[in-house]
Amino acid sequence: MRIRSEQEALYVACRMEAAAIQLYTRALSVLQGQGRTGDPLYAHLTLTLADEQEHLRRFSALYTGLDAQQERQLELSAVAEGILFEGGLMGAAREGLLRDAQSMLTLAARAEEASAAKYRAFAQAAQGPARETLLTIAREEERHLAELRQQGAEKR
């Protein structure tokens, strides 16, 4: 995906975070319906959701807007390149998100790794506070990735 401006980078970052929030919110709802609120998977998804909400807040504070046509083109490009969660909750369930904690950790680790890489790439099109926010959140995603890998190793 080619990002040409800071605002394009921030728009796609906002969409990435919004998609993650929607996915984790729905996953938590399903787990709640299954009576699995005491499951370690539920606790981890709750923490991950809070982090994603904070990331969206920070990106949104810097996003001043593009026209609707630009936003639509960026979103279509992001979907085509698999940057956004493809298939939403059902796609994640097919990937094993709700099966068990280990599967969720694997899927979440892949998502965190991809997000960190995209945010670093997006930072190249940004300056000042937007660049710093993208790089800071990329580092946070890398920290999440390390935590997920550690949790995954402990579960084996």
Side-chain angles (χ1 to χ4, degrees):
M1 168 167 221
R2 186 168 162 231
I3 296 294
R4 296 177 303 245
S5 73
E6 174 177 291
Q7 288 302 301
E8 286 185 357
L10 289 168
Y11 176 77
V12 175
C14 285
R15 294 303 308 133
M16 289 170 64
E17 296 299 330
I21 289 166
Q22 183 178 30
L23 174 70
Y24 291 132
T25 299
R26 288 182 177 168
L28 286 167
S29 178
V30 168
L31 290 172
Q32 198 170 34
Q34 295 173 345
R36 294 174 60 188
T37 57
D39 192 310
L41 175 58
Y42 189 89
H44 187 77
L45 283 173
T46 300
L47 293 173
T48 302
L49 174 61
D51 284 345
E52 303 303 345
Q53 290 168 329
E54 175 59 16
H55 293 169
L56 178 58
R57 185 196 65 73
R58 289 163 61 192
F59 286 143
S60 294
L62 296 167
Y63 179 64
T64 59
L66 297 167
D67 68 48
Q69 182 178 359
Q70 287 175 298
E71 287 180 348
R72 184 72 179 140
Q73 288 173 339
L74 286 167
E75 190 149 355
L76 289 173
S77 293
V79 169
E81 291 193 28
I83 293 171
L84 301 178
F85 282 105
E86 293 184 70
L89 182 61
M90 294 310 296
R94 282 190 296 275
E95 295 260 350
L97 175 65
L98 301 178
R99 185 176 56 233
D100 57 35
Q102 187 61 46
S103 298
M104 192 286 298
L105 291 169
T106 300
L107 179 64
R110 284 197 324 245
E112 296 291 345
E113 187 172 32
S115 293
K118 285 295 176 194
Y119 294 155
R120 285 194 184 288
F122 293 168
Q124 294 176 12
Q127 298 174 15
R131 178 180 173 81
E132 288 309 310
T133 299
L134 285 159
L135 291 173
T136 297
I137 292 178
R139 287 189 297 272
E140 290 174 13
E141 301 290 24
E142 289 167 346
R143 182 178 43 84
H144 295 158
L145 175 59
E147 291 168 358
L148 289 166
R149 286 181 174 158
Q150 180 181 358
Q151 286 180 9
E154 290 170 1
K155 295 215 177 280
R156 288 187 192 135

